[in-house]
């Protein structure tokens, strides 16, 4: 069977056996297509049925989460944990709380996590979980009761050498705290079963900042290779959550100017550069809409989402040198990348998971726009989570500077590995191909070593 037929066969059986999981198919197809040169060079992956195995999670847990709201009414949500692949280490990956969450979304995230975690060079397998619970508009007490109910079931499936969840969209320090507290109450043990913990109770310094910082370090590596740097560059950033905020912060450290941010309701364009203190106050402290930013900075522009021109994201119509999609999947489409290209954007660096549509990626590659693919560019978060696990296991606490320096080294090594792998397969600089092949190869070879499991 030709490699193309092998890939088609896997896609077909995936769609047939797991109907309706659109985002999952998108993530699988992207990886399989880029693996083509490796599969041609190494027939052993076909012989050992690696593709057939790798697209099926080792285990998926789906459960009912029942909790009581402030009015005394019983509420119900669905909880998920997809333990995708443990070939190179215990399952590791975030939890997403957002009304859009379904099994297909958790599976796309879990599948990508396998290769991202492998790329970090650290011993962590791939997983993802979450719930269709919407933390927006809920009181702290409601969020706490939900988190406790969620952890009551999840606790049966995790452990510090088994599966270590963390944050993602809608899950930050507050949610990790409530879940950690509940795990401790149930088990009677103070264990590193989650990462992103508070720094007073087992968390690592720099974990909060790590994904955004890492994404900017990755962009700097890409530019350095071209003899360029971030200094003086104008950047557009989408999102205004954990990843976006610390992307913006690190861009200032690197003497670039971030001029946009966004949330689900709208976007801000501030030509003078986004005011980080105001952004943190609105989003981290008050959990409010970005509309508040324009009230504090009347010179900035606020555009509500419903006013975006048909099928475009207003953030990507702002002229920039570099774009950092850092909100959610499929937030940058073909129209958006054409707008960016027209306005002189030279690099797209993905802080979010799968933020660019397949058509946008095709356009990026065809037009030689520099590209930091998500699995590589946003791996700083999970890498630092593993540093948190290391500190927990050895009962140590490292300084901010020490963790930040390790993070920077890891991002450089992910860049180098992706770059060298792209060269090995005669497509120098195609980091998407390089990252996917490098991430896959280590996991696939480990699966072969471990036999029929
Ligand atoms: P947060 O919940 O902290 O922030 C998410 C941001 O994106 C918010 O501004 C939110 O707006 C916006 N957003 C979420 N969903 C949508 C949507 N459907 N449409 C428009 N805007 C939306 O999440 P993170 O910053 O942690 O995550 C952002 C991205 O980065 C995700 O793709 C995540 O998977 C990825 N990621 C996160 C890592 C981490 O360590 N946290 C690590 C690697 C990747 P609003 O405020 O209105 O909700
Ligand atoms: O997508 C991701 O890499 C994350 N949400 C972070 C996962 C982790 O375990 O820190």
């Amino acid at each position: 069977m030709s490699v193309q037929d092998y890939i088609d066969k896997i896609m077909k059986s995936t769609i047939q056996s797991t109907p309706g999981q659109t985002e999952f198919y998108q993530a699988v197809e992207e990886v399989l297509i880029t693996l083509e040169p490796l599969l041609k060079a190494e027939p052993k992956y076909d012989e050992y049925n690696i593709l057939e195995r790798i697209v099926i999670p080792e285990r998926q847990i789906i459960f009912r989460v029942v909790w009581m709201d402030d009015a005394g009414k019983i509420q119900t949500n669905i909880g998920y944990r997809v333990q995708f692949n443990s070939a190179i280490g215990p399952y590791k990956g975030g939890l997403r709380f957002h009304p859009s969450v379904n099994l297909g979304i958790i599976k796309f995230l879990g599948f990508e996590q396998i290769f991202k975690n492998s790329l970090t060079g650290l011993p962590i397998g791939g997983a993802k979980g979450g719930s269709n619970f919407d933390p927006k508009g809920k009181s702290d007490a409601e969020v706490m009761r939900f988190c406790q109910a969620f952890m009551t079931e999840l606790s049966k499936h995790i452990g510090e050498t088994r599966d270590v969840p963390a944050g993602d969209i809608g899950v930050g320090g507050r949610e990790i705290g409530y879940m950690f507290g509940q795990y401790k109450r149930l088990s009677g043990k103070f264990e590193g079963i989650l990462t992103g913990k508070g720094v007073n109770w087992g968390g690592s310094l720099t974990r909060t900042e790590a994904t955004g910082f890492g994404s900017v370090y990755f962009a700097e590596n890409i530019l350095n290779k071209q003899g360029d740097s971030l200094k003086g560059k104008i950047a557009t950033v989408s999102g205004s959550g954990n990843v976006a905020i610390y992307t913006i912060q690190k861009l200032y450290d690197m003497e670039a100017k971030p001029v946009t941010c966004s949330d689900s309701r709208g976007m801000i364009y501030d030509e003078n550069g986004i005011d980080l203190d105001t952004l943190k106050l609105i989003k981290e402290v008050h959990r409010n809409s970005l509309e508040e930013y324009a009230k504090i900075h009347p010179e900035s522009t606020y555009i509500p989402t419903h006013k975006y021109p048909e099928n475009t994201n207003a953030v990507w119509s702002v002229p920039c040198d570099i774009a950092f999609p850092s909100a959610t999947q499929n937030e940058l489409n073909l129209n958006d990348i054409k707008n960016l290209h027209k306005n002189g954007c030279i690099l797209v660096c993905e802080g979010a998971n799968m933020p660019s549509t397949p058509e946008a990626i095709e356009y990026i590659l065809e037009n030689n726009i520099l590209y930091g693919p998500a699995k590589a560019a946003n791996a700083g978060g999970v890498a630092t989570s593993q540093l948190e696990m290391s500190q927990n296991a050895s009962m140590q606490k490292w300084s901010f500077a020490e963790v930040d320096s390790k993070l920077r080294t890891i991002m450089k090594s992910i860049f180098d590995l992706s770059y060298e792998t792209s060269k090995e397969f005669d497509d120098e600089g195609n980091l998407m191909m390089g990252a996917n092949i490098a991430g896959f190869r280590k996991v696939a070879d480990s699966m072969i070593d471990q036999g029929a499991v």
Side-chain angles (χ1 to χ4, degrees):
M1 193 188 309
S2 75
V3 167
Q4 189 53 51
D5 288 346
Y6 182 35
I7 293 174
D8 288 348
K9 188 184 102 181
I10 301 295
M11 279 316 301
K12 207 168 153 207
S13 73
T14 301
I15 293 168
Q16 246 166 19
S17 60
T18 58
Q21 300 181 354
T22 325
E23 290 85 358
F24 177 54
Y25 311 150
Q26 185 183 332
V28 172
E29 189 159 26
E30 182 216 285
V31 171
L32 295 192
I33 289 169
T34 53
L35 291 181
E36 206 175 324
L38 175 72
L39 299 174
K40 279 193 177 135
E42 296 277 5
K44 68 177 173 180
Y45 299 120
D46 186 356
E47 275 160 36
Y48 282 94
N49 269 348
I50 292 297
L51 295 192
E52 283 85 343
R53 290 197 265 161
I54 214 162
V55 297
I56 299 176
E58 289 174 13
R59 188 173 302 100
Q60 48 192 41
I61 300 139
I62 304 181
F63 49 99
R64 187 171 67 185
V65 187
V66 181
W67 55 282
M68 196 177 276
D69 68 17
D70 287 345
K73 193 164 175 2
I74 289 177
Q75 300 289 345
T76 312
N77 289 98
I78 305 176
Y80 304 89
R81 186 70 181 166
V82 174
Q83 297 177 330
F84 228 115
N85 193 298
S86 62
I88 63 166
Y91 305 112
K92 181 85 197 87
L95 297 170
R96 176 176 291 191
F97 292 169
H98 193 271
S100 64
V101 162
N102 57 40
L103 183 59
I105 288 189
I106 298 299
K107 279 181 67 183
F108 114 64
L109 291 162
F111 183 72
E112 297 218 315
Q113 200 82 43
I114 304 170
F115 310 107
K116 183 197 304 193
N117 293 2
S118 164
L119 272 177
T120 65
L122 301 166
I124 35 180
K128 202 83 185 191
S131 174
N132 60 351
F133 174 74
D134 187 359
K136 251 195 221 113
K138 305 285 190 303
S139 69
D140 281 353
E142 288 176 323
V143 171
M144 181 180 76
R145 287 193 293 274
F146 171 80
C147 288
Q148 291 177 338
F150 183 84
M151 181 50 88
T152 300
E153 177 59 31
L154 186 69
S155 65
K156 298 169 191 164
H157 312 284
I158 63 175
E160 52 192 350
T161 57
R162 187 175 175 193
D163 182 1
V164 184
D168 193 78
I169 290 178
V171 178
R174 174 182 62 170
E175 291 74 18
I176 294 289
Y178 293 148
M179 287 190 275
F180 185 77
Q182 179 70 355
Y183 182 89
K184 198 156 51 73
R185 177 159 72 169
L186 291 168
S187 69
K189 289 180 190 156
F190 194 107
E191 293 176 324
I193 44 86
L194 291 168
T195 58
K197 300 187 289 298
V199 291
N200 292 328
W201 41 275
S204 173
L205 289 160
T206 324
R207 175 60 189 93
T208 304
E209 295 82 0
T211 311
F213 279 21
S215 168
V216 176
Y217 293 149
F218 198 80
E220 180 73 353
N221 276 295
I222 294 179
L223 292 172
N224 286 171
K225 194 83 187 174
Q226 310 290 318
D228 200 350
S229 78
L230 281 162
K231 192 171 175 180
K233 297 285 191 294
I234 304 289
T236 48
V237 179
S238 66
S240 53
N242 175 266
V243 179
I245 287 174
Y246 294 96
T247 296
I248 290 172
Q249 181 166 323
K250 186 47 73 177
L251 282 168
Y252 281 122
D253 289 350
M254 309 292 265
E255 298 178 58
K257 186 159 85 170
V259 294
T260 63
C261 58
S262 66
D263 62 18
S264 48
R265 280 174 277 192
M267 70 84 96
I268 288 286
Y269 174 38
D270 190 339
E271 211 182 344
N272 303 318
I274 294 293
D275 176 357
L276 189 61
D277 291 337
T278 302
L279 178 63
K280 284 186 176 177
L281 186 73
I282 293 170
K283 284 295 170 182
E284 293 187 330
V285 183
H286 296 156
R287 298 178 187 275
N288 221 331
S289 158
L290 276 180
E291 209 170 348
E292 297 302 309
Y293 185 101
K295 290 183 190 154
I296 297 168
H297 289 283
E299 72 285 3
S300 69
T301 310
Y302 177 75
I303 307 178
T305 306
H306 66 267
K307 292 218 170 130
Y308 291 1
E310 187 70 22
N311 201 19
T312 58
N313 181 336
V315 173
W316 313 129
S317 66
V318 172
C320 67
D321 301 305
I322 307 175
F324 285 90
S326 309
T328 193
Q329 65 272 5
N330 293 328
E331 55 162 319
L332 196 162
N333 66 21
L334 185 59
N335 293 333
D336 297 321
I337 190 66
K338 284 183 178 167
N339 276 336
L340 284 166
H341 194 209
K342 186 180 72 197
N343 289 329
C345 174
I346 57 164
L347 164 61
V348 175
C349 188
E350 297 182 330
N353 285 309
M354 206 168 76
S356 309
T357 63
E359 298 76 25
I361 296 175
E362 205 179 317
Y363 185 93
I364 287 172
L365 298 176
E366 276 171 5
N367 290 278
N368 295 319
I369 298 168
L370 297 169
Y371 181 45
K375 293 185 203 73
N378 74 32
V382 74
T384 308
S385 275
Q386 199 281 344
L387 301 179
E388 181 171 328
M389 290 164 70
S390 294
Q391 290 169 78
N392 292 164
S394 59
M395 303 186 98
Q396 291 181 26
K397 184 143 186 89
W398 304 337
S399 69
F400 188 97
E402 197 175 348
V403 183
D404 187 34
S405 142
K406 287 184 200 295
L407 167 64
R408 214 169 172 147
T409 306
I410 291 169
M411 296 315 295
K412 166 95 170 67
S413 75
I414 295 174
F415 173 78
D416 289 343
L417 177 63
S418 307
Y419 197 90
E420 288 310 314
T421 310
S422 74
K423 251 167 67 177
E424 184 187 335
F425 290 92
D426 297 328
D427 196 355
E428 182 165 350
N430 181 345
L431 298 178
M432 176 170 82
M433 190 254 251
N436 285 347
I437 290 186
F440 171 86
R441 187 154 50 180
K442 193 167 118 188
V443 174
D445 289 347
S446 306
M447 288 169 74
I448 293 173
D449 291 345
Q450 291 169 29
V453 290

